[in-house]
Amino acid sequence: MLVKLVSWNVNGLRAVVKKPDWSWFDDCGAQIVALQETKAMPEQLPQEVASPPGWNSYWDSSTVKKGYSGVSVFSRLDPLNVTPELPEPRYQGEGRLLHLEYPDFHFFNGYFPNGGAEELDENGRHTGRFKRLAYKMGFLEEFLKLACACKQTKPVVICGDFNIAHAPIDLSRPGDNLKNTGFLPEERAWMDRLLEAGFVDTFRHVHGDIPEKYTWWSYKNRSRPKNVGWRLDYFFVSADLGASVRDAWIDSEVYGSDHCPVGLALEI
């Protein structure tokens, strides 16, 4: 069976569903749709959006701050189990993770933390320290432990906004961003460890080192028309699914958010 999965950081679902771009949902032809940064509780959305006919709908919304973070999954396949959040209580409450277990694979939809704003010293000078970097790295470590544990039981598929550009090819101006969160050495080293743990970056698996392929563009300075972007959104699979990958893509022509959707086709 060919399964099509798509993932999109919508940067506010209540706003996106009012735009023509939301036709993407009906047109994408996927069996599993994962959204990040929904910034909404399902009851804040029209019924046909929160629970569209023909879909199983699952939500993990932020409980610590309304209108913040949040992930959802819409599935035409029936999962065996659905679990929100990481097991570690320190990293719960922000609505950042949904874990669906299907008969043939584990599926994770994650909106991984941003490193936050840079801290300044008393004279307003840059310190190189970021307010949420420790939280981000802790979250990533706990997630890697969970993904590796699940990989021992059945194959794993991971998607979402990782808030990390892995390699210089994954952003348009790597030299200018070596000290910026999202491209810090420790963040990139964690992604190295994800690959070393037996996970495959499906876009690179299919397309190799094709340049100038990004999934996020700042709203500032006409970044998207100029393609000044970062690849922050990914599909990873455990290595035992590598041979099952039929396609992986970036839907850069889809607008409505500062991110664009990414997709994966798997033969299960």
Side-chain angles (χ1 to χ4, degrees), residues 74-85:
F74 303 93
S75 177
R76 293 197 184 277
L77 310 178
D78 294 326
L80 303 173
N81 297 291
V82 180
T83 307
E85 305 282 11

Side-chain angles (χ1 to χ4, degrees), residues 125-144:
R125 293 182 297 232
H126 295 279
T127 65
R129 299 189 300 270
F130 295 88
K131 293 180 178 179
R132 300 210 79 204
L133 184 59
Y135 182 89
K136 177 178 185 174
M137 298 310 300
F139 188 103
L140 292 170
E141 289 301 319
E142 290 297 323
F143 175 77
L144 184 57

Side-chain angles (χ1 to χ4, degrees), residues 213-232:
K213 295 297 182 180
Y214 311 125
T215 67
W216 174 81
W217 302 262
S218 171
Y219 281 133
K220 300 176 182 178
N221 302 319
R222 292 180 49 82
S223 295
R224 192 159 184 173
K226 297 174 184 176
N227 200 27
V228 178
W230 298 50
R231 190 168 74 104
L232 302 177

Side-chain angles (χ1 to χ4, degrees), residues 144 166 190-201 236:
L144 184 57
H166 181 211
W190 178 86
M191 199 161 273
D192 288 338
R193 290 178 52 224
L194 180 66
L195 299 179
E196 291 163 2
F199 293 93
V200 176
D201 178 344
F236 290 94

Side-chain angles (χ1 to χ4, degrees), residues 221-265:
N221 302 319
R222 292 180 49 82
S223 295
R224 192 159 184 173
K226 297 174 184 176
N227 200 27
V228 178
W230 298 50
R231 190 168 74 104
L232 302 177
D233 305 85
Y234 300 79
F235 267 97
F236 290 94
V237 298
S238 50
D240 48 2
L241 283 178
S244 300
V245 173
R246 295 293 173 264
D247 196 9
W249 62 92
I250 295 172
D251 279 332
S252 55
E253 73 280 4
V254 176
Y255 285 70
S257 168
D258 52 353
H259 292 251
C260 75
V262 296
L264 173 67

